[in-house]
Amino acid sequence: MADENLSTSSEILSGEGISFVGNPEVILDRYIEEAKYGKPLEFVVTTCPDYSYRKDSSNSGTAKYTFEDIGEDAGLVALGIMNTMLPVVEHLETEGAYNRLTFAYADNEAYDPQIRIAMGIGQEDFLARINSSGQKLFLRLHQEYMQRCMGTYSVPSVAMMSEVMREDTYNRSTEILHGIKNGTVDGIKLARLGLYSAWFGNYPGLNNGNPIAFDSFAKERARKDIFDHVHLGESLRDITKGVDGIPSTSRNIVIVTMSDVSLARFFNFSGRYPHVPVIRVEKNY
């Protein structure tokens, strides 16, 4: 039987490295209360493929992506968020609150020709490596849950982003993207310029030191990143509402991400009901 005095979201989700995007506490408190009575609190974790990285010894061992290769292990983001979220799940388990922690790997990046060219990998090989990463993370999650004696109220799972993003929200997401001002896109471009340089620095036509060409390319990548956040938010918003908006089929979904705040806000950029709570995990690798 669940504890009648279940902790609030601010108490459960106050772990080190966790913050809220916006002010979703009221929604999260309701979700946690409903989880006590059997309606799962569903965390959907945005998860990058296992891109290569290096540790910077001069900066407390902080890892930076090099994008030289794609591995088949769980990956930096998956393990970083897992380490942060496990205590949260353990707290929910202790208080008898049903929950599901789902890591959604960005297999959509395997369908992006620019990323495939930059990484020098074919689509099938890319997808195979992402699937391998998912399998390894799934085993790791089960080991962690068993060691922590979790499983009565808590379920771990791994999915692919293509399973989460709905095709019927694509056009709506495109319309929302068209309404975003150029200055906003430029802001995301500037914030992610270092990442784009590492990722696409050797992309054909961009590796000749032409700053104008790279600036234009980076802006389109920023627009694509914004779209992906809008699309996921719109997809999960519809899933939250349930089938044809029937309350009994609604689901209590929360996005967990390492995206910068400037990008994470696009999950709810449309302002449409219902608001999907977003938890941001600070980089801890």
Side-chain angles (χ1 to χ4, degrees):
M1 183 70 179
D3 185 353
E4 293 294 330
N5 298 312
L6 191 65
S7 302
T8 63
S9 61
S10 59
E11 293 170 324
I12 290 180
L13 299 170
S14 61
E16 183 177 354
I18 295 177
S19 61
F20 298 148
V21 178
N23 301 288
E25 290 90 340
V26 172
I27 300 173
L28 288 170
D29 285 346
R30 174 168 61 83
Y31 283 4
I32 291 172
E33 181 67 19
E34 291 179 354
K36 176 176 58 173
Y37 296 102
K39 187 172 186 176
L41 174 57
E42 302 183 45
F43 298 106
V44 175
V45 181
T46 62
T47 312
C48 293
D50 181 26
Y51 292 120
S52 59
Y53 62 92
R54 67 170 180 271
K55 292 278 188 175
D56 185 355
S57 58
S58 65
N59 189 24
S60 302
T62 302
K64 291 185 178 180
Y65 282 122
T66 62
F67 297 104
E68 295 170 350
D69 193 15
I70 304 168
E72 299 182 55
D73 290 327
L76 271 178
V77 169
L79 294 179
I81 293 182
M82 182 191 75
N83 291 334
T84 298
M85 290 299 294
L86 281 175
V88 172
V89 172
E90 195 167 18
H91 194 159
L92 291 168
E93 175 83 16
T94 300
E95 300 206 27
Y98 290 89
N99 66 91
R100 176 182 291 272
L101 181 63
T102 300
F103 287 78
Y105 274 93
D107 65 330
N108 53 307
E109 294 184 359
Y111 298 102
D112 186 322
Q114 290 181 336
I115 293 178
R116 291 201 308 271
I117 291 171
M119 298 301 302
I121 189 172
Q123 181 173 295
E124 290 187 8
D125 190 10
F126 201 151
L127 289 171
R129 296 188 193 193
I130 294 176
N131 283 324
S132 179
S133 294
Q135 292 168 9
K136 290 178 180 176
L137 177 61
F138 188 67
L139 292 174
R140 177 73 179 271
L141 284 168
H142 272 275
Q143 290 172 355
E144 292 285 349
Y145 274 53
M146 289 179 64
Q147 290 174 3
R148 296 167 184 257
C149 298
M150 299 190 302
T152 303
Y153 300 98
S154 309
V155 178
S157 65
V158 174
M160 295 295 132
M161 194 63 73
S162 60
E163 300 170 337
V164 179
M165 287 182 169
R166 297 167 57 113
E167 290 186 12
D168 57 1
T169 61
Y170 185 92
N171 289 340
R172 183 202 312 158
S173 301
T174 300
E175 291 176 5
I176 294 170
L177 180 67
H178 287 161
I180 295 173
K181 296 179 179 179
N182 276 328
T184 301
V185 178
D186 284 333
I188 298 299
K189 178 198 69 178
L190 290 173
R192 295 173 68 80
L193 206 55
L195 181 142
Y196 295 148
S197 295
W199 205 347
F200 300 99
N202 293 318
Y203 193 84
L206 300 177
N207 54 1
N208 57 5
N210 184 337
I212 296 177
F214 188 81
D215 184 79
S216 177
F217 182 88
K219 186 167 183 174
E220 288 309 307
R221 290 310 312 179
R223 200 181 302 278
K224 178 68 167 61
D225 286 341
I226 292 171
F227 175 81
D228 286 343
H229 283 70
V230 170
H231 191 192
L232 178 60
E234 292 304 301
S235 297
L236 293 180
R237 198 176 334 282
D238 279 9
I239 295 172
T240 296
K241 287 192 298 185
V243 180
D244 296 327
I246 300 172
S248 61
T249 65
S250 66
R251 294 163 61 180
N252 293 345
I253 295 175
V254 177
I255 297 173
V256 182
T257 187
M258 274 193 182
S259 292
D260 293 337
V261 174
S262 58
L263 263 178
R265 69 188 183 94
F266 287 105
F267 289 127
N268 287 291
F269 189 80
S270 70
R272 294 177 62 251
Y273 177 85
H275 182 91
V276 181
V278 179
I279 295 172
R280 185 170 175 271
V281 173
E282 298 291 338
K283 292 181 174 63
N284 57 0
Y285 47 71

